[in-house]
Amino acid sequence: MSRFYEVEPSLENYWRAIILFGKNSSSYKFALAKALYEFRDSASDLITLDALAEPFSRHVCTHIHQSSKQSTRENPGRFLDACADFNNGVIPQEQLLDQTVRLGFENVIDAFHNVARKTLDTRFFEDERKGAVKAIRLTDHFFRLAEQVVFADIQYETEARWRLVETAWQSNISKNLLAVQHDHDAGSLFVRMNDRRIDITSCRDSLNGYQKGRCFYCYDTISIDSSADNLADVDHFFPWCIRHDLPAINGIWNLVLACTDCNRGEGGKFERVPALSLLERLHARNEYFINSHLPIRETLIKQTGKTELQRQQFLQSCYGVAKTQIIHTWRPKPKGGSTL
Ligand SMILES: [Zn+2]
């Protein structure tokens, strides 16, 4: 987990740490993050709870509609009940907003900046609920983050993360049994429960949480916005052509985001084996996911081994198989500084 800070302690790192590594006993953190995104152009830095209540409750209502379990607690509590009641037409929006102001923010404002049981010093808002008007005050950190190009990707990642978390809760089975699979054609991740397939997220959105808008190989900038010119390719690290020789080649352990140049441009990887230094990078990436405590972690452990040593040996043996089958190795021409 420390990698995350040591390598690039930028604002986006801190924000991602909150979203990716924050401890979740309910999905409020995601809802608050998504609500805050909507205030990026706000004229004032003071956001009242009254103003926050609408977007915050809207995001919770949308998610509760698709996945009723938004908390790990047995009893979801009065705020989530109010959201469900609103969805079912039992209470009007006015009442929902009133309940949101009174109950919805109770813990999430305090806990938002907690990561790995510690509060981050870099804050994106200050708590002003003790003032004359109950509010939070957005900090310069928030507005600076909102100006960055990566802000669009961060919004996708938040949604992807939320889907993963609620899917794990909804399934109500041990996370060990929840295998995340990749649909090569649709480019999505899904789980299968009782023979029913549940799409959880775009594969790109999840992978980008580690790569932060950079090609896995050359560090050139890539986007996960499907309308962007530099839309990332989902690439098999060990090429698809040796799928019969490697276990679970479509597994998340073997998928990375690459720029089109590296994947299929002139001098691209195509069906070659990435150089050994890139294998080390893949190992570091997989260990990062394993530290993130969500279904991807369980899937990776199942596919590649219980201990770090086993996982390292697994990758080494795949590398051996790939090298002896394909022979040719490939390394990218670096285009940007390492951010990984
Ligand atoms: Zn590249």
Side-chain angles (χ1 to χ4, degrees), residues 215 217-220 259 262 335:
C215 171
Y217 301 111
C218 72
Y219 301 127
D220 201 5
C259 72
C262 283
K335 292 179 196 145

PDB file of all heavy atoms in Angstrom, residues 215 217-220 259 262 335, ligand 1:
ATOM      1  N   CYS A 215      -0.072   4.421 -20.528  1.00  0.00           N
ATOM      2  CA  CYS A 215       0.139   3.107 -21.146  1.00  0.00           C
ATOM      3  C   CYS A 215       1.006   2.252 -20.209  1.00  0.00           C
ATOM      4  O   CYS A 215       2.002   2.739 -19.669  1.00  0.00           O
ATOM      5  CB  CYS A 215       0.813   3.282 -22.498  1.00  0.00           C
ATOM      6  SG  CYS A 215       1.365   1.725 -23.237  1.00  0.00           S
ATOM      7  N   TYR A 217       3.063   0.015 -20.904  1.00  0.00           N
ATOM      8  CA  TYR A 217       4.405  -0.262 -21.431  1.00  0.00           C
ATOM      9  C   TYR A 217       5.257   0.991 -21.588  1.00  0.00           C
ATOM     10  O   TYR A 217       6.402   1.028 -21.157  1.00  0.00           O
ATOM     11  CB  TYR A 217       4.289  -0.971 -22.780  1.00  0.00           C
ATOM     12  CG  TYR A 217       3.530  -2.269 -22.706  1.00  0.00           C
ATOM     13  CD1 TYR A 217       2.277  -2.401 -23.295  1.00  0.00           C
ATOM     14  CD2 TYR A 217       4.063  -3.370 -22.046  1.00  0.00           C
ATOM     15  CE1 TYR A 217       1.577  -3.593 -23.237  1.00  0.00           C
ATOM     16  CE2 TYR A 217       3.363  -4.570 -21.970  1.00  0.00           C
ATOM     17  CZ  TYR A 217       2.120  -4.676 -22.576  1.00  0.00           C
ATOM     18  OH  TYR A 217       1.435  -5.843 -22.495  1.00  0.00           O
ATOM     19  N   CYS A 218       4.721   2.008 -22.245  1.00  0.00           N
ATOM     20  CA  CYS A 218       5.579   3.140 -22.624  1.00  0.00           C
ATOM     21  C   CYS A 218       5.258   4.406 -21.839  1.00  0.00           C
ATOM     22  O   CYS A 218       5.926   5.419 -22.004  1.00  0.00           O
ATOM     23  CB  CYS A 218       5.439   3.420 -24.122  1.00  0.00           C
ATOM     24  SG  CYS A 218       3.851   4.167 -24.548  1.00  0.00           S
ATOM     25  N   TYR A 219       4.212   4.380 -21.016  1.00  0.00           N
ATOM     26  CA  TYR A 219       3.799   5.522 -20.178  1.00  0.00           C
ATOM     27  C   TYR A 219       3.228   6.690 -20.974  1.00  0.00           C
ATOM     28  O   TYR A 219       3.060   7.790 -20.434  1.00  0.00           O
ATOM     29  CB  TYR A 219       4.966   6.038 -19.307  1.00  0.00           C
ATOM     30  CG  TYR A 219       5.560   5.016 -18.380  1.00  0.00           C
ATOM     31  CD1 TYR A 219       6.923   4.762 -18.381  1.00  0.00           C
ATOM     32  CD2 TYR A 219       4.754   4.312 -17.490  1.00  0.00           C
ATOM     33  CE1 TYR A 219       7.483   3.830 -17.524  1.00  0.00           C
ATOM     34  CE2 TYR A 219       5.303   3.386 -16.629  1.00  0.00           C
ATOM     35  CZ  TYR A 219       6.668   3.140 -16.642  1.00  0.00           C
ATOM     36  OH  TYR A 219       7.214   2.227 -15.789  1.00  0.00           O
ATOM     37  N   ASP A 220       2.941   6.474 -22.243  1.00  0.00           N
ATOM     38  CA  ASP A 220       2.262   7.529 -22.984  1.00  0.00           C
ATOM     39  C   ASP A 220       0.859   7.711 -22.390  1.00  0.00           C
ATOM     40  O   ASP A 220       0.314   6.791 -21.775  1.00  0.00           O
ATOM     41  CB  ASP A 220       2.142   7.115 -24.465  1.00  0.00           C
ATOM     42  CG  ASP A 220       1.929   8.322 -25.369  1.00  0.00           C
ATOM     43  OD1 ASP A 220       1.970   9.459 -24.857  1.00  0.00           O
ATOM     44  OD2 ASP A 220       1.730   8.113 -26.579  1.00  0.00           O
ATOM     45  N   CYS A 259      -1.414   1.746 -24.995  1.00  0.00           N
ATOM     46  CA  CYS A 259      -1.712   2.664 -26.095  1.00  0.00           C
ATOM     47  C   CYS A 259      -1.754   1.843 -27.381  1.00  0.00           C
ATOM     48  O   CYS A 259      -1.224   0.729 -27.444  1.00  0.00           O
ATOM     49  CB  CYS A 259      -0.676   3.781 -26.162  1.00  0.00           C
ATOM     50  SG  CYS A 259       0.942   3.274 -26.746  1.00  0.00           S
ATOM     51  N   CYS A 262       1.740   0.759 -28.821  1.00  0.00           N
ATOM     52  CA  CYS A 262       2.387  -0.400 -28.202  1.00  0.00           C
ATOM     53  C   CYS A 262       1.647  -1.688 -28.527  1.00  0.00           C
ATOM     54  O   CYS A 262       2.260  -2.735 -28.727  1.00  0.00           O
ATOM     55  CB  CYS A 262       2.448  -0.239 -26.689  1.00  0.00           C
ATOM     56  SG  CYS A 262       3.735   0.880 -26.157  1.00  0.00           S
ATOM     57  N   LYS A 335       7.822   6.878 -23.790  1.00  0.00           N
ATOM     58  CA  LYS A 335       7.330   8.183 -24.248  1.00  0.00           C
ATOM     59  C   LYS A 335       7.084   9.155 -23.113  1.00  0.00           C
ATOM     60  O   LYS A 335       7.010  10.347 -23.312  1.00  0.00           O
ATOM     61  CB  LYS A 335       6.036   7.997 -25.032  1.00  0.00           C
ATOM     62  CG  LYS A 335       6.255   7.277 -26.333  1.00  0.00           C
ATOM     63  CD  LYS A 335       4.928   7.113 -27.052  1.00  0.00           C
ATOM     64  CE  LYS A 335       5.034   6.072 -28.156  1.00  0.00           C
ATOM     65  NZ  LYS A 335       3.807   5.314 -28.312  1.00  0.00           N
TER      66      LYS A 335
HETATM   67 ZN    ZN B   1       2.392   2.527 -25.135  1.00  0.00          ZN
END
